[in-house]
Amino acid sequence: MGLRVYDVSGWGFFRFRGPDAKTFLQGLVTADVRKLTPGAMLAACVLTPKGLMVADCELYEETEMSVLVVTRPAAAIGLLKTFEKKIMLSQSNVRVLSGRAWLVIGGGYERGLPWTRFSQPARLLIGADPPEEAELLSEPEFEILRVASGLPWFGADMDASTLPLEARQEAAISLDKGCYMGQETVSRIVHVGQVKKILIGLRFTAGPAPVGSVVLRDGREIGKVTSSAGGVAIAMVAAADAVPGA
C-alpha cells in the first residue's frame, strides 16, 4: 500500500520559545522533557492539579530554546489555557501556530516529524505540501486507522473527567522525573492503588456497534463503546473485566 495523507490543520500546534522553555514544560507535562532530542517525538499528557486529563500531546525539540507541542482539536483550548496561566512565571512565551498540516502515513517517507501514535509509520508535515502521489484519506477512513491502532481520542475516548492511566497513557508518563502538575494522583495510583475503569479494544464478528453501545460480559454491563469504526472499537470498561481474549 502506498502513501496516504490526512489533513490535520485543525489540530492544536503550539510553539514554546525562551531560555527556560524546556524547564517550564518539565513542570507541567507528564513526560521527562530532558529526554527530548532533535528529530524524535516525545509523547506526553497535561493534567489538572487533581490528575485529570487536560490533553494528550506530542513534543518536538526545534532548538535548545524552542519546543513544538501538538495536540488534538478538542484538547487544544484546554491545553492553551493551562499553559497561559503558568507561563507568565517563566521567561518564555507560547505562540499558537496556524496553517496547513498533514499526517503522511506509510513507510519510506522521510520529510517532516515522526508521529509514532499509530501502529504503522507516519510523519507530521507542517507548512508544506503533501506528496503528490499520496492518497487523501477521508475522516471515516482515518477513523478506521485510528481505532484499529488503539489510539484514544480526546473528546471521544477520554475527556476532562478521565485519569491518564484509565486512558492507557503509560508511555506518556515518566515515573522518575520529579514533580509535575497532577503527579501526586498518578503516583498514588501507580504505587498504592488502581484505576476502576480502563480503555480496551474490541473486535466484532457480526457488524459494528455504534458509539454509546453497552458492553456486556456474562450478561453484566461493564462499560460503553466510545469509538467505533469498521469492525473494531474502543470502549471504556470496568478494569476488572478488561481481560484480553474475553
Side-chain angles (χ1 to χ4, degrees):
M1 185 176 293
L3 294 177
R4 292 167 291 175
V5 63
Y6 180 66
D7 188 349
V8 297
S9 303
W11 289 11
F13 296 88
F14 307 93
R15 175 171 290 133
F16 292 85
R17 177 174 288 167
D20 63 349
K22 289 182 180 178
T23 303
F24 168 74
L25 289 169
Q26 180 76 340
L28 289 180
V29 304
T30 57
D32 191 343
V33 180
R34 295 171 300 183
K35 296 182 179 179
L36 264 180
T37 57
M41 185 195 97
L42 183 65
C45 294
V46 179
L47 308 179
T48 69
K50 294 184 178 180
L52 298 172
M53 291 288 295
V54 172
D56 63 314
C57 56
E58 296 85 47
L59 277 59
Y60 299 93
E61 179 183 276
E62 296 183 311
T63 69
E64 277 297 317
M65 295 196 301
S66 179
V67 177
L68 176 68
V69 180
V70 181
T71 191
R72 261 48 66 197
I77 293 178
L79 184 149
L80 181 60
K81 286 182 177 179
T82 298
F83 285 147
E84 284 182 331
K85 289 179 181 178
K86 302 289 184 179
I87 203 164
M88 64 182 65
L89 302 176
S90 76
Q91 301 177 54
S92 299
N93 60 75
V94 56
R95 177 187 173 193
V96 180
L97 305 182
S98 60
R100 300 312 296 269
W102 307 89
L103 195 63
V104 183
I105 304 164
Y109 190 74
E110 299 299 330
R111 293 180 63 194
L113 300 167
W115 195 78
T116 57
R117 296 287 199 175
F118 270 177
S119 55
Q120 53 189 293
R123 308 283 296 187
L124 193 59
L125 193 62
I126 302 172
D129 293 329
E132 293 183 358
E133 70 274 18
E135 172 193 355
L136 183 63
L137 288 177
S138 65
E139 187 171 339
E141 290 171 330
F142 177 79
E143 188 73 351
I144 292 173
L145 288 176
R146 177 187 76 81
V147 176
S149 294
L151 174 65
W153 206 250
F154 198 91
D157 309 298
M158 54 185 173
D159 56 27
S161 67
T162 308
L163 295 167
L165 295 175
E166 292 174 339
R168 295 191 180 273
Q169 296 296 306
E170 291 90 345
I173 297 172
S174 170
L175 298 179
D176 55 11
K177 63 168 281 186
C179 294
Y180 58 86
M181 194 158 65
Q183 183 218 9
E184 289 186 9
T185 299
V186 173
S187 180
R188 185 165 61 249
I189 293 172
V190 169
H191 296 293
V192 299
Q194 61 182 7
V195 294
K196 295 181 179 179
K197 58 182 180 177
I198 197 165
L199 290 177
I200 62 168
L202 300 177
R203 187 176 301 279
F204 303 115
T205 57
V211 171
S213 297
V214 171
V215 180
L216 302 175
R217 186 182 182 204
D218 300 328
R220 295 178 292 109
E221 180 177 337
I222 63 169
K224 291 186 178 180
V225 172
T226 54
S227 290
S228 182
V232 291
I234 297 173
M236 183 69 80
V237 304
D241 290 293
V243 181

